[in-house]
Amino acid sequence: MPELPEVETICRDLSRVLISRLVVNIEVKKLGLLRNPLATFKRYLVGATILSINRRAKLILIKLSSQYVLAIHLKMTGQLVWKSPKGGLKVGGHPIINTYDVPNKFTYIIVCLSDGSKLYFNDIRQFGYWQLIKSDELNSHLRHYGPEPLGVAFTFEVFNSNLHKHNKAPIKTILLNQTVVAGLGNIYVDECLYVSKVRPTRRVGSLKENEIKNIYKAIKQVLSKAVKARGTSFNTYVDALGKSGSYWNKRLVYGRSGEKCRICAQIIKKITVSGRGTHYCANCQH
DNA sequence: CGGAGTGTTAGTCG
DNA sequence: CCGACTAACACTCC
């Protein structure tokens, strides 16, 4: 699930409960999810204090007092559940798991904190990973990512020039390319192209400047709206009225194939573009 | 029951 | 370099 708005929401929520906590233990049930040896986690995560939690692209970056950063990627089905000893719960990640009882059969990593709370990592498909990176090597680890779409470095000129490194590919494929712009995934790419009125299959080289401007604006607009809605499809405070990400109800095309376009009432089509399910309105998008 | 599809991305191959 | 394809894995849906 998690694309930029979801990961952003998870980081903000976890910041409120994890910062300045001391890590007292880690239990790992699937070593394959760790990108470093377990001993490295014991040495640099256990005993460290959590200093900050930030997002870059779809990566969660947890800065530690040990001069390391814990990078967590949720990929398709990763989920983080934080539980306080009093039963307070925060959940961020994939919604398929319909119970937030933890640990459960998909819980592969558990981090115990000094206040008695625990952070659980669930991941049905086990594509996600945890990686410890030396703080001074973080920038070089992240260098292949393109600009943050909601940041100041993401100007139209940068976007336009990054796009035109890939003139022959369909625009959808290129928007999913994290080196062009970081953080978009399948849902938000379909949403952005719908808002821009551009078909996902259009070759980049065929786009007029005006169309690229519309895509550029749509990326910013759709993502900020989704961040405000706390993302698409995961729960947060289960104890605060079970509020969940509300963008799902606001989505315009993703997952609406066979339903009517909200603008022209034509039936939304579903095709495959570079292996990904792709939704669009053939009447509104050209 | 079998096969396709699932919100990601790193790696391979042409 | 570019782009197409696949594997990593487990589950749901048709």
Side-chain angles (χ1 to χ4, degrees):
Chain A
M1 168 210 77
E3 304 179 33
L4 183 150
E6 291 76 32
V7 178
E8 179 68 28
T9 304
I10 291 167
C11 288
R12 289 180 188 179
D13 284 354
L14 289 181
S15 294
R16 287 209 290 267
V17 292
L18 291 185
I19 287 179
S20 79
R21 296 281 85 81
L22 174 77
V23 176
V24 296
N25 196 17
I26 179 173
E27 292 170 42
V28 181
K29 298 176 184 184
K30 275 272 192 250
L31 286 174
L33 301 180
L34 302 184
R35 290 210 167 172
N36 318 70
L38 181 58
T40 306
F41 278 82
K42 296 272 188 199
R43 192 170 308 140
Y44 297 111
L45 178 58
V46 175
T49 299
I50 293 171
L51 301 180
S52 66
I53 304 179
N54 291 292
R55 178 193 60 75
R56 174 76 172 103
K58 299 172 195 170
L59 267 185
I60 299 166
L61 299 171
I62 303 179
K63 193 163 191 262
L64 303 167
S65 61
S66 58
Q67 303 296 317
Y68 274 75
V69 174
L70 171 59
I72 300 178
H73 203 306
L74 301 174
K75 292 282 187 91
M76 300 271 281
T77 55
Q79 184 185 59
L80 287 170
V81 177
W82 174 87
K83 198 162 83 171
S84 83
K86 290 177 184 158
L89 200 66
K90 285 178 192 295
V91 180
H94 197 272
I96 278 182
I97 306 170
N98 55 15
T99 169
Y100 295 121
D101 283 346
V102 277
N104 58 46
K105 60 188 283 207
F106 305 114
T107 303
Y108 296 122
I109 303 176
I110 304 173
V111 170
C112 306
L113 300 146
S114 49
D115 60 352
S117 67
K118 294 186 179 187
L119 183 67
Y120 299 85
F121 179 66
N122 306 329
D123 191 354
I124 294 181
R125 291 178 74 178
Q126 303 173 43
F127 289 176
Y129 63 81
W130 286 34
Q131 180 172 20
L132 283 171
I133 301 167
K134 281 186 189 148
S135 296
D136 57 10
E137 292 172 4
L138 183 63
N139 282 345
S140 100
H141 260 267
L142 301 176
R143 70 177 178 275
H144 69 280
Y145 284 114
E148 283 292 325
L150 298 180
V152 288
F154 185 60
T155 61
F156 174 74
E157 289 68 30
V158 166
F159 178 57
N160 195 35
S161 103
N162 283 355
L163 271 193
H164 285 300
K165 293 169 188 160
H166 309 271
N167 275 326
K168 283 159 67 177
I171 180 64
K172 162 144 187 177
T173 310
I174 297 321
L175 293 180
L176 288 170
N177 182 330
Q178 303 294 302
T179 67
V180 171
V181 50
L184 287 174
N186 208 28
I187 294 181
Y188 293 112
V189 166
D190 281 7
E191 295 291 297
C192 288
L193 289 172
Y194 177 81
V195 170
S196 338
K197 300 190 185 296
V198 172
R199 287 197 194 189
T201 47
R202 284 282 297 285
R203 307 280 139 177
V204 171
S206 80
L207 295 173
K208 302 189 185 79
E209 171 147 328
N210 167 39
E211 292 176 309
I212 297 175
K213 275 227 160 79
N214 288 341
I215 296 169
Y216 171 76
K217 284 189 258 177
I219 290 172
K220 288 179 167 281
Q221 184 215 306
V222 167
L223 289 180
S224 0
K225 206 165 123 189
V227 168
K228 279 194 190 120
R230 300 179 53 77
T232 289
S233 54
F234 63 91
N235 293 347
T236 56
Y237 292 107
V238 170
D239 56 359
L241 305 176
K243 263 186 294 180
S244 59
S246 59
Y247 188 84
W248 188 252
N249 309 315
K250 302 189 172 86
R251 85 208 130 95
L252 302 169
V253 274
Y254 185 86
R256 297 191 70 245
S257 56
E259 296 175 38
K260 286 181 180 169
C261 169
R262 295 196 198 278
I263 296 172
C264 75
Q266 269 220 2
I267 300 302
I268 299 291
K269 289 194 173 174
K270 182 173 180 189
I271 58 172
T272 298
V273 176
S274 61
R276 314 296 302 278
T278 298
H279 314 72
Y280 73 103
C281 172
N283 189 42
C284 293
Q285 293 170 262
H286 301 286

